[in-house]
Amino acid sequence: MPIIVNLDVMMAKRKISLGELAERIDLTPANLSILKTGKAKAVRFSTLEAICKELNCQPGDILEYQSEE
Amino acid sequence: MKKRLNLICLGIVLAVLVSMSFLFSTFYYGFKAGIDAYEQGAAGVEKLDVTYKMIGTMPTDVITNETATAINEKDGSTVSILPFISMIGVPNEKVDATDSIFLSLLDWMVMICCIYAIVQFVKMIRNIHRNIIFDWANVKRLRRLGLSLILCFCCSLVTFAINNHLVSQVISLKDCDFSIAFQFSDPTLLIGFTSLLFAEIFAIGLRLKEENDLTI
């Protein structure tokens, strides 16, 4: 998929673990792991909002478009 | 939910059993005829050197049709009949060995396809009983079930067409053509395509479920 999830980069920048972030945004670690590894098919705006609020960043910092060519 | 499923399965099993009993009775009478012919041959009685072929006919003129006659045993009168599917004897020398082998192979194919379809159906029902419903394995089974039934129908159709061809070389009926059209009344083809349709519906549902499961 040409949409790249850079959640791991932002988490490393903010020095926050997956479990901690999952707890703060009220998501299961398994679901957050799916999002982090780029296996997710879609992201709800509410989830994106919670992540951005918690990591103090913009949606563009987490999601990136890369052409497949 | 399972109770209704069990009832439907019971209905299907009963329908298959009735159809199998018809097949077995046909097999039994054929086998008995073969044994009788062998015994008559051993006793020196001249045997009837024909093979019976199942054919389909299509009347060209239904109103004035006098395709065949039969004796009414109730009053001994001769009545006009309109046969759609008949068993007609063809002299053995008219059936060439290649045709016989090909027809036997087709019969085997039909049998294998039927057994394969039944196995796929039973496996799918077993999965559903184990609460494995929206699964790719079931989609694959439905697809295999549909394809095997369609193949089964195609083999039957070819057998029917060859039989019609063989019989048309020997006899012709007044106001009647030999036709394979009647074979299309067999529901196998319809059930095959319906299975494929259900497989696709299952596949669409599964893709939606996967997308929903992977929406975070």
Side-chain angles (χ1 to χ4, degrees):
Chain A
M1 211 158 61
I3 299 291
I4 311 291
V5 181
N6 291 321
L7 185 62
D8 48 349
V9 179
M10 280 312 291
M11 281 167 62
K13 277 184 187 169
R14 301 289 185 260
K15 294 189 174 82
I16 188 169
S17 71
L18 184 114
E20 199 182 338
L21 180 63
E23 201 179 322
R24 283 191 196 175
I25 61 172
D26 200 21
L27 212 68
T28 63
N31 276 347
L32 193 62
S33 172
I34 289 171
L35 185 62
K36 199 181 113 182
T37 49
K39 288 176 188 162
K41 296 253 181 186
V43 188
R44 288 191 190 93
F45 279 157
S46 56
T47 310
L48 197 59
E49 183 191 334
I51 292 170
C52 290
K53 192 177 170 186
E54 211 50 54
L55 297 179
N56 193 24
C57 64
Q58 292 298 312
D61 297 328
I62 298 166
L63 302 174
E64 182 191 341
Y65 172 76
Q66 261 182 23
S67 174
E68 273 181 321
E69 287 164 12
Chain B
M1 192 175 76
K2 291 271 171 72
K3 196 178 166 188
R4 205 177 292 172
L5 179 81
N6 286 340
L7 276 173
I8 294 168
C9 287
L10 186 71
I12 293 170
V13 168
L14 284 175
V16 169
L17 282 178
V18 170
S19 133
M20 292 291 263
S21 68
F22 172 73
L23 275 176
F24 277 114
S25 67
T26 312
F27 176 79
Y28 169 74
Y29 287 121
F31 187 76
K32 200 165 166 277
I35 296 286
D36 287 347
Y38 172 76
E39 281 170 357
Q40 282 173 6
V45 179
E46 198 178 326
K47 60 179 178 175
L48 196 62
D49 198 19
V50 292
T51 50
Y52 284 90
K53 301 284 173 204
M54 189 179 275
I55 58 150
T57 55
M58 183 64 80
T60 48
D61 187 356
V62 181
I63 298 165
T64 58
N65 191 283
E66 288 173 2
T67 297
T69 53
I71 293 168
N72 184 353
E73 282 195 339
K74 284 197 172 174
D75 57 8
S77 64
T78 305
V79 290
S80 172
I81 57 165
L82 191 65
F84 280 105
I85 296 253
S86 319
M87 291 286 280
I88 289 184
V90 181
N92 264 342
E93 66 269 16
K94 290 279 179 188
V95 183
D96 121 39
T98 326
D99 284 343
S100 291
I101 293 168
F102 189 60
L103 285 170
S104 302
L105 280 176
L106 285 173
D107 286 344
W108 275 102
M109 277 292 287
V110 169
M111 206 162 79
I112 290 166
C113 286
C114 283
I115 292 169
Y116 187 73
I118 291 170
V119 169
Q120 295 306 314
F121 178 74
V122 169
K123 279 185 175 176
M124 199 182 70
I125 294 297
R126 201 182 55 185
N127 262 2
I128 291 170
H129 265 275
R130 288 176 184 168
N131 278 336
I132 308 167
I133 301 165
F134 283 105
D135 194 273
W136 285 107
N138 286 345
V139 174
K140 277 182 192 165
R141 290 213 169 100
L142 269 173
R143 279 183 185 148
R144 285 179 198 156
L145 176 70
L147 288 174
S148 57
L149 287 176
I150 291 169
L151 185 64
C152 177
F153 173 83
C154 291
C155 290
S156 305
L157 192 69
V158 173
T159 308
F160 216 67
I162 292 174
N163 283 345
N164 273 9
H165 172 71
L166 288 172
V167 171
S168 68
Q169 287 180 327
V170 181
I171 62 164
S172 72
L173 300 172
K174 190 189 167 201
D175 292 335
C176 216
D177 286 336
F178 294 119
S179 163
I180 56 167
F182 205 82
Q183 186 66 8
F184 284 91
S185 64
D186 184 354
T188 314
L189 185 67
L190 193 66
I191 298 171
F193 278 118
T194 310
S195 293
L196 288 181
L197 178 73
F198 276 103
E200 287 319 301
I201 292 169
F202 254 66
I204 292 167
L206 260 172
R207 277 187 214 110
L208 283 173
K209 183 181 172 282
E210 276 181 0
E211 200 171 296
N212 194 44
D213 288 348
L214 290 173
T215 297
I216 311 297

